[in-house]
Amino acid sequence: MNLALLTVLGVALDALMGEPKRWHPLVAFGRLADRLERRFNRARTDAATDTPGLGWRSHGVTAWVLAVIPLTLIALLLSLLPYVGWIVQVLALYAALGLRSLGEHAEPVALALRAGDLNEARLRVGYMVSRETSALDETAVARAATESVLENGSDAVFAALFWFAVAGAPGVVLYRLSNTLDAMWGYRNVRFERFGWAAAKIDDLLNYIPARLVALTYALLGHTRLALRCWRTQAPQWDSPNAGPVMAAGAGTLGVALGGAARYHGELHERPQLGEGPAPIAADIWRALALVRQGVLLWLAVILILGVL
């Protein structure tokens, strides 16, 4: 029951304050990750093909351990302190959550689209996604923002709640730091293909169960049968094992079509369709945000009930 109440406090703190504007712990962690990457991701030559490249998988594992494990152990020890341990727990969850931040990034995109300001909408959605946004039309901007809300709702909100419920402060710290390293190192390019392999795989593992719980949550809160069918038939075609179920179920429950062509780092990627229905518009960005928020309320209710039981 104590953990359930701490979960509610952490979510409430995020709703009231949002992300820290100064001294955000993840910003400092990002600097640490950059230093570790510069130290361990050195040039190498592939003996089999005699081609140059960067990084070794073993070096990526070493850097991941040095970045994540000491801070996770510190969170564990601090959470066990008498009288103040509960404060550490709440602050750890608050620092890991991004529910209010998700709305603060997505709502300006929807407002710009509604006002007919496409340039502003492109600029704002560029803060949310890694694809190129300078040439997107209104439909593509709305699609990108809706996809980002559904996927980041899973990564930045629900998965953090899941690991806090499982293991308290050390669980949520382990998850959030791992997810951050995946965002920084988990690219399939020359620089990170080998070095970032461990960060990407560990993040996939930590998100496996939460992503499927999120997909089920999305399905229960909208067009359930369509969402489940999209999850079953479309998610396996997506390149990410965790984003596929989340976005397919979310698109199905909203009754919109996501996916399709998108340009990343100068390359055009033809992505499979997710969901069914018309292309998303500005209003669907708000609907996606409402879906995430309703899902959080549902999870809090379940966590409290389990705490009582």
Side-chain angles (χ1 to χ4, degrees):
M1 187 60 187
N2 287 338
L3 192 61
L5 293 176
L6 294 178
T7 304
V8 173
L9 287 175
V11 173
L13 196 60
D14 174 74
L16 289 172
M17 300 182 61
E19 287 188 345
K21 304 304 180 185
R22 301 177 61 186
W23 311 109
H24 197 302
L26 289 180
V27 174
F29 178 74
R31 297 193 186 101
L32 170 64
D34 281 336
R35 287 196 291 269
L36 288 171
E37 194 257 331
R38 289 195 298 270
R39 168 66 178 81
F40 286 97
N41 195 16
R42 302 293 182 86
R44 55 160 284 191
T45 298
D46 192 314
T49 62
D50 197 33
T51 56
L54 277 180
W56 298 79
R57 284 186 176 182
S58 59
H59 289 180
V61 173
T62 301
W64 186 94
V65 170
L66 291 175
V68 175
I69 299 304
L71 293 173
T72 301
L73 292 176
I74 290 173
L76 172 62
L77 294 175
L78 291 176
S79 69
L80 296 176
L81 291 174
Y83 306 112
V84 298
W86 70 272
I87 299 176
V88 173
Q89 299 261 26
V90 172
L91 291 178
L93 178 58
Y94 161 63
L97 281 175
L99 180 58
R100 176 167 168 173
S101 175
L102 190 63
E104 289 173 346
H105 281 82
E107 288 177 351
V109 180
L111 289 170
L113 286 176
R114 191 172 68 177
D117 190 344
L118 182 56
N119 287 332
E120 178 68 11
R122 288 168 174 167
L123 175 66
R124 291 289 184 169
V125 81
Y127 299 147
M128 301 179 66
V129 299
S130 57
R131 74 194 68 176
E132 296 175 13
T133 62
S134 59
L136 297 183
D137 59 17
E138 292 183 4
T139 298
V141 169
R143 181 185 298 115
T146 303
E147 290 175 0
S148 180
V149 169
L150 294 174
E151 184 176 4
N152 284 308
S154 179
D155 290 349
V157 181
F158 291 106
L161 290 174
F162 174 84
W163 283 108
F164 185 76
V166 169
V172 78
V173 168
L174 173 68
Y175 168 73
R176 174 49 65 209
L177 299 185
S178 300
N179 185 250
T180 301
L181 290 184
D182 176 59
M184 297 179 68
W185 298 347
Y187 294 99
R188 294 179 179 176
N189 55 28
V190 172
R191 179 176 177 182
F192 291 111
E193 179 75 28
R194 290 180 286 240
F195 179 81
W197 173 84
K201 293 300 182 183
I202 292 170
D203 184 69
D204 284 346
L205 180 64
L206 292 176
N207 270 297
Y208 188 85
I209 294 176
R212 280 141 187 86
L213 292 176
V214 172
L216 180 60
T217 301
Y218 286 168
L220 293 175
L221 294 173
H223 298 295
T224 303
R225 295 178 65 180
L226 176 58
L228 293 176
R229 177 161 57 83
C230 292
W231 176 4
R232 183 180 68 254
T233 61
Q234 297 173 341
Q237 304 171 32
W238 202 253
D239 59 354
S240 169
N242 296 322
V246 167
M247 292 170 60
T253 211
L254 293 173
V256 297
L258 302 178
R263 187 173 294 277
Y264 297 88
H265 310 295
E267 296 183 4
L268 185 65
H269 292 254
E270 291 292 343
R271 307 172 305 159
Q273 178 177 307
L274 298 176
E276 288 184 14
I281 59 176
D284 294 311
I285 302 173
W286 275 299
R287 292 177 62 222
L289 281 170
L291 179 63
V292 173
R293 290 163 178 161
Q294 291 165 12
V296 170
L297 293 177
L298 177 60
W299 276 41
L300 290 178
V302 171
I303 290 170
L304 286 171
I305 291 171
L306 292 176
V308 171
L309 295 177

